[in-house]
Each structure stands twice: as structure tokens, then as C-alpha cells.
Amino acid sequence: MIDWNAHLIIGPIVLPMIIASAMLLLDERRRTLKAALSLSAMAAILIMALVLLHESANGAVGGGDTARVYRLGSWAAPYGIVLVADRLSTMMVALTSVLGGCALIFALARWDRAGPRFHALFLLLIMGVNGALLTGDLFNLFVFFEIMLAASYGLALHGSGEARVRAGVIYIAVNLTASLLFLIGVSLIYGVIGTLNMADVATRVATISVDDLGLFHIGAAVLGTAFLIKCAMWPLGFWLTPTYSAASAPAAAVFAILSKVGVYVVIRLSLLLFGADAGASAGFGLTWLFVGGLATIAFGTFGLIASRDLSRAAGFGVMISSGTVLASLGVGDAATLSGALFYLIGSTLACAALFLLAEILQRGRESDVGEARAVFDDEYRDPFDDEERNEPGLVIPAAVAALGGAFLICTLMVAGLPPLAGFVGKLSMISALVGVGDAAAWTLAAVLSVSSLGALIGLTRLGVGAIWTRDEDAPAFVVGAAELTAVAALLGACVFLAIFAGYGLIYTDHTAAWLADPQGYIHAVLGGGGR
Amino acid sequence: MMELVLALAIGVLSASGVWLLLRPRTFQVIMGLSLLSYAVNIFIYAMGRLRSGAPPVLAGEVSDPTRYTDPTPQALVLTAIVISFALTALFLVVILAARGITGSDHVDGKEPDA
């Protein structure tokens, strides 16, 4: 009798892998079967993720937080490979499965027919993301990152077309270079410390001799650069907006989680390796994260205001949310990080919903990204000449009302305005920053508020353009039932997060406290003994 | 002596790789990526400490573990070679598609003066 619960942690990795490989054997024309297979796989992953989340939320039997460790092949930790599900990784796995499920439902309306092997690529992407979130050692992190990226190259090009291929060349080149940096960083760390298990590295950071410390720091910095490219931190993130706005809507929506995987790894490694116990290395790189995060928020906000196209604006929204979390991590305060983690969940869901909405709103219109266009096309018109706009009797069809409402929720979430979850996250970050109270904290609080205003201005303008002052010759809005379900589910998750914000914040508070004290993680992985 | 040769090889490969990576034609970019990945693969070996003629797998009674070389970097290099090889092939396909669709092998997909 197999104890299924003991193997639960590997499920979110193995299940999509098996289904995706089985799907490669099926004929491309058996769409219904493929759709049913991938939907049920995503549903099963969601259930597993929620079970893991529930377990990590409730902690150990005797009270306190715990991490579930799975030893592959039953080899003990520093020598064998382990998967670790603690509060942070289960939270991210649950977020991935919600986001992935919604993007998949959206794709079923028509995007899964735009090119071959969509379902297999999609499930492999989910497998890579889950693996990267659950793995406990650096080299498997590399392997899962590559699985995730290889699938994302396929998805970025899904549907083909000149814009996608052009953006894809740059996307792939940047990510291949980042992967090489990743390898350099990993091998430098291995050369100094002689282990790749993250918990084992963490126990030895304080014991590195002064001669080797420089080499270790270079390794960590190179490794960090690779992840910061993935997070799209300024100035490493110029690839993000062209790629995401060119990609098909469900692909772009699920890509919203990819940059958050980068953020997750940065949070995990910097708090585990460079926490308070790290001796001479304590707090390494935090200033860089803080400054880079601020620059990313500023760049993303200006980019969002300058966007003429909703999917580009959503891409800049992804950058703002990465930058916010990185800068909050850079403050080095657990309460700020807790708010940032809460904000991460809400903003990722909202950005994904915005990508999906952008596709619905821009459908049937030529996307003219990068083309020269008059900024104000009514500049030289006499306002009283315009008879069409003065016509009485405004008709609001149901589709327009639903899309308008959805757009409003997205805007509130991305800008972080009340009463939704984006506001709760931002407010709890800002109140923690006021508690810290130094110049850096005040700067971040100010930048966060101004960026909210910027996002509000940019998105409102685009929303007015897309819904109210739409071209008269543009086709009417057509929304598939699957598409509406997907957007409604994502926004419903945002509303749910706002209603249960109290529980959410308690969870992220505990997560931030657990991350601030890496001994719990190290103890869970190494069993207290180490080697 | 071996250390010097190895360091020079890594240095020359990565310098040429970076230079090619920053060139405007896609063929040069893919050659640059290949050279860089060779450099990185050798670098991983070097980080596992250089040792010539020592076996990586323990056989029979182990009298002295220091006489064996560290097997981990070799496992890492093997994985890294396979992955970078596969992704370079994928990149090549995308580059060919870009060449076919845009009619230009410039990394931006259009000739600078066109």
C-alpha cells in the first residue's frame, strides 16, 4: 500500500510531466480529449497545491511553522536531492495553479488551436514552474528553470507571426545568456562551498574563510543577476514588454508568473544565505535590490503611462509588481516583506487578467506596436463639429458592461486602490515602512504612492480609449463564454483575496517571520544534523 | 601549467563569445552563445578543482578519498551540455524562422539603413 500523502509534494511536478508526454502521442485533431486531459490535470494540481497550502498554513502539530521535505530516492539531504514545501513555496505553487488554470480556460476559447502542441507546452511550463518553486538545491533549480524556459519559448511563439518571432529571438537570446550566468554563479558557489543543497550552503556561509569570501560574493552576485534578468529588474528587463505584448494572451497571462518565479528565488536565496546568521555576508546585496527595485518601479510606471497599447501596459504592470517586491525585500524588514508577499499574489493575478482583457478589447484591431501615430487624433478638430458624439440614447450592451467592470477591477488592483487586495498589500507595506522610518523606507513609501497614481492615470486613459471612445468602425465586442469565465475567475480570486485579506496577511506575516529565521528551513532539510 | 592553459582557454572563449553575442547578425549571436557555453562548461570543471588521471567513482575498499576526483562537477557539466545544446538547436530554428519571415538576418529583423 503506497502512502499517497507522503508523495503529495512531487505530484505538481510529475503529474503535468506524465500528462504532457502522453499528449504528444495523441493526434493534434483530438482537441476535446486534449482539452479535457489538460483541464483535469490543472484541476488535480490545484487540489494538490491547496492541500499543501493548507498543511503549511496550519503548521506543525506542536505549534510553530514547518516545512515538508521529500527525499528523492530516500537519500539523506546534503547528498541526495530534496524537494521542500514550506510556506513560501506552497503559496507560490497555489498561485501558479490558479493562474495556470484560468489561462488554460481562456485558451480553450480559441487560442489552443492557433498552433500545434499548445497543451503539452502549457503543462510542461507548469511543471517547470512548480519544480523551480519546490526544489531544494541549486542545480535542480537550474534544470527546472530550463524546462520552464524551453516551454516558454514555445508558448511565446505560439500562433507565430512576424511580431512574435521578432520578439522571440531577443527573448531567447537574453534568457540563454542568463542561463549561462546562472551556471557560472552556481559553479562559483560550488567551488567555494562544495555543496549545492541550499540549506547546506546556508549552514556554511558563516564559516567561509576571508580569502574565499570575495569569490563567494561574486558567485552569489552573478547568480543573482541571472534571476534579476528573469524578474525584469531595471536595467535588465527591457526584453519583457516586447515579448509579453507580442505573445498570445493566455501565454502572456501565464508568463506573469515567470517573473515572479525569479522574484521567489531572489527572496528565498537572499534570506536563506544572507540572513542574520551569515556572519560577514549578512545582508549581502540588499542595497542593490532596494535601488534596483525602486528604479524598476519608476521605469515601469513611466512605461505604463507612455503605453499606447493595453497589452504593453500590462507588461509594464508586471515590471512594477516585480520592482515593488524587490525593493521591499531590499528594506530588510519582515513586516514590509509580508505586505510585499500579499501584494505579489494580488498583482500577479491582476496583471494576468489585464493581459486577457487586453486581448478581448483589442481583438479585430490592427496592433500597431512601435508604429508612429498621432498622439491626439482630435487635436485640430472643432469640438462642436462632432455630431456623432452628441447623439443621445447611449446603448450599453451586456458585454461592454462586463468588460468595463472587469477593467475597473484590474485597474484598481494594479494601481493598488481601495477596496481591493492590491490596496491591502500596498497599505500594509507602507504602514510597515512608516514603522521602519528611515530615509530609504520613506523614499519607498513615496515611490509606491506615486506609482499608484501613475498606474491609475495610464490604465484609465487606455480603458477610456478601449471601451468608451472606441472607433466607430471597430467591430463589436465578442466575448466567448470560456474567456469570460477565465477573466471572472481571476478577478474573483482578487475579490476573494480582498475579502479574506485578514487571513492572507496572517499567512504572509508568518511566512515573512519563517523566512527571517532560516534555522527552521535548515533544520527541516538537514534533520538538524547537517554533515 | 595546466591551470594557465585552462584559464587562457576559458578567457579567450568567453571574450570571443561576448564579442560575437553583441554583433548585429543572428548567426554571430548564435556562435557567440555556443562559445560562451563551451567556456562555461570548462569553467564548471575548473571550479570542481583540477586533477588529472583521478577516477570520479569510488571502487571497492576506499583507502583514501582524497585520491578520487569530485564527480559532482562532471554530472553538472553533462546536464549543462545537454540543455545548452538542445536550447541552441531551438534558438537556431527560431532564427531561421525569423530570417524567413522578416527577410533579414539582423537581430532586429530589419536592416539598419532600410
Side-chain angles (χ1 to χ4, degrees):
Chain A
M1 184 65 196
I2 306 173
D3 180 13
W4 289 104
N5 187 40
H7 298 285
L8 184 66
I9 179 170
I10 203 172
I13 303 171
V14 169
L15 183 74
M17 185 183 78
I18 293 173
I19 306 270
S21 3
M23 222 179 267
L24 291 175
L25 304 173
L26 290 177
D27 194 290
E28 201 47 38
R29 277 164 297 184
R30 306 187 66 175
R31 292 217 175 85
T32 327
L33 179 62
K34 286 198 163 189
L37 268 178
S38 46
L39 264 187
S40 39
M42 282 311 297
I45 295 170
L46 179 64
I47 292 169
M48 288 189 279
L50 290 180
V51 171
L52 285 172
L53 183 70
H54 175 78
E55 192 178 279
S56 64
N58 289 328
V61 182
D65 297 328
T66 183
R68 184 198 267 237
V69 178
Y70 184 78
R71 293 181 174 77
L72 293 163
S74 286
W75 288 89
Y79 306 104
I81 294 165
V82 288
L83 300 178
V84 187
D86 70 341
R87 288 176 155 268
L88 184 61
S89 39
T90 50
M91 181 185 102
M92 295 294 292
V93 170
L95 175 63
T96 309
S97 41
V98 171
L99 194 67
C102 293
L104 186 67
I105 293 173
F106 187 90
L108 293 181
R110 63 186 195 127
W111 274 109
D112 63 333
R113 275 159 277 170
R117 312 278 172 230
F118 176 82
H119 291 290
L121 284 173
F122 193 89
L123 287 177
L124 287 174
L125 183 81
I126 298 291
M127 171 206 169
V129 171
N130 284 342
L133 295 173
L134 288 171
T135 185
D137 78 308
L138 289 172
F139 202 75
N140 281 285
L141 188 64
F142 170 73
V143 174
F144 281 120
F145 246 74
E146 291 304 312
I147 293 173
M148 175 181 108
L149 290 176
S152 83
Y153 302 152
L155 280 180
L157 296 170
H158 180 74
S160 198
E162 185 178 333
R164 287 193 188 117
V165 173
R166 224 182 241 193
V169 169
I170 293 162
Y171 176 61
I172 299 177
V174 168
N175 276 305
L176 287 180
T177 318
S179 304
L180 295 175
L181 288 178
F182 193 152
L183 280 174
I184 294 175
V186 166
S187 55
L188 271 169
I189 290 178
Y190 182 77
V192 174
I193 294 196
T195 178
L196 288 170
N197 185 291
M198 293 185 210
D200 203 19
V201 174
T203 56
R204 291 149 171 249
V205 168
T207 62
I208 298 172
S209 70
V210 181
D211 297 340
D212 287 340
L213 203 59
L215 209 55
F216 176 71
H217 282 175
I218 292 172
V222 172
L223 191 67
T225 309
F227 295 122
L228 291 174
I229 291 178
K230 200 63 236 160
C231 302
M233 183 177 97
W234 185 88
L236 306 169
F238 293 117
W239 55 270
L240 187 137
T241 352
T243 314
Y244 284 23
S245 61
S248 57
V254 78
F255 285 180
I257 195 73
L258 295 193
S259 54
K260 298 303 172 297
V261 177
V263 172
Y264 159 82
V265 177
V266 171
I267 294 176
R268 164 75 77 217
L269 288 183
S270 72
L271 290 178
L272 190 58
L273 306 190
F274 304 114
D277 306 336
S281 312
F284 174 74
L286 285 186
T287 317
W288 284 100
L289 289 179
F290 180 72
V291 174
L294 280 185
T296 315
I297 302 174
F299 178 76
T301 309
F302 284 126
L304 202 152
I305 296 176
S307 317
R308 319 277 307 273
D309 176 298
L310 203 48
S311 48
R312 279 182 75 82
F316 284 114
V318 172
M319 288 183 74
I320 295 177
S321 109
S322 288
T324 305
V325 182
L326 288 177
S328 317
L329 175 64
V331 173
D333 170 53
T336 315
L337 183 66
S338 158
L341 289 174
F342 189 83
Y343 174 80
L344 183 152
I345 306 173
S347 63
T348 309
L349 292 172
C351 288
L354 200 55
F355 276 119
L356 299 182
L357 268 182
E359 206 263 341
I360 299 174
L361 294 177
Q362 290 172 345
R363 185 177 296 165
R365 281 202 291 169
E366 288 295 312
S367 178
D368 42 12
V369 180
E371 295 293 323
R373 206 161 32 129
V375 176
F376 301 107
D377 50 9
D378 56 350
E379 236 165 327
Y380 302 109
R381 283 165 87 180
D382 180 0
F384 299 107
D385 266 0
D386 197 355
E387 288 173 14
E388 304 150 27
R389 301 208 179 166
N390 297 332
E391 275 176 17
L394 190 60
V395 181
I396 304 181
V400 177
L403 291 175
F407 191 85
L408 185 68
I409 298 182
C410 274
T411 308
L412 292 180
M413 281 295 296
V414 173
L417 292 181
L420 288 170
F423 174 70
V424 178
K426 269 204 171 157
L427 187 69
S428 96
M429 261 187 283
I430 290 176
S431 84
L433 286 171
V434 170
V436 174
D438 57 359
W442 282 108
T443 315
L444 180 57
V447 168
L448 283 180
S449 319
V450 174
S451 114
S452 283
L453 180 66
L456 185 67
I457 294 171
L459 287 175
T460 311
R461 192 169 56 90
L462 286 168
V464 166
I467 295 173
W468 287 353
T469 61
R470 206 167 141 84
D471 298 338
E472 282 80 5
D473 51 346
F477 288 119
V478 182
V479 193
E483 293 168 338
L484 209 57
T485 314
V487 174
L490 279 176
L491 297 177
C494 294
V495 174
F496 181 80
L497 206 58
I499 295 173
F500 294 98
Y503 294 108
L505 279 173
I506 291 172
Y507 186 84
T508 54
D509 275 343
H510 275 275
T511 311
W514 159 260
L515 290 172
D517 178 25
Q519 287 310 320
Y521 182 92
I522 295 169
H523 186 84
V525 174
L526 298 179
R531 43 169 128 168
Chain B
M1 191 59 202
M2 190 165 108
E3 287 84 351
L4 185 67
V5 172
L6 197 81
L8 276 175
I10 296 172
V12 170
L13 277 175
S14 35
S16 333
V18 169
W19 189 74
L20 281 172
L21 194 64
L22 299 174
R23 303 293 301 160
R25 302 285 157 191
T26 49
F27 183 71
Q28 294 164 320
V29 170
I30 204 163
M31 290 322 274
L33 277 173
S34 308
L35 289 187
L36 267 181
S37 74
Y38 296 145
V40 168
N41 290 339
I42 307 177
F43 182 75
I44 298 176
Y45 265 125
M47 278 293 115
R49 303 291 180 270
L50 298 175
R51 182 83 70 78
S52 100
V57 178
L58 307 177
E61 280 296 303
V62 182
S63 51
D64 180 14
T66 57
R67 282 173 43 223
Y68 292 88
T69 187
D70 184 355
T72 319
Q74 308 193 5
L76 302 191
V77 166
L78 188 62
T79 321
I81 288 175
V82 174
I83 289 178
S84 69
F85 203 69
L87 290 184
T88 308
L90 190 143
F91 190 38
L92 190 63
V93 173
V94 176
I95 281 177
L96 283 175
R99 170 72 183 80
I101 290 177
T102 63
S104 159
D105 68 341
H106 194 275
V107 284
D108 288 337
K110 55 185 175 206
E111 298 298 318
D113 47 344

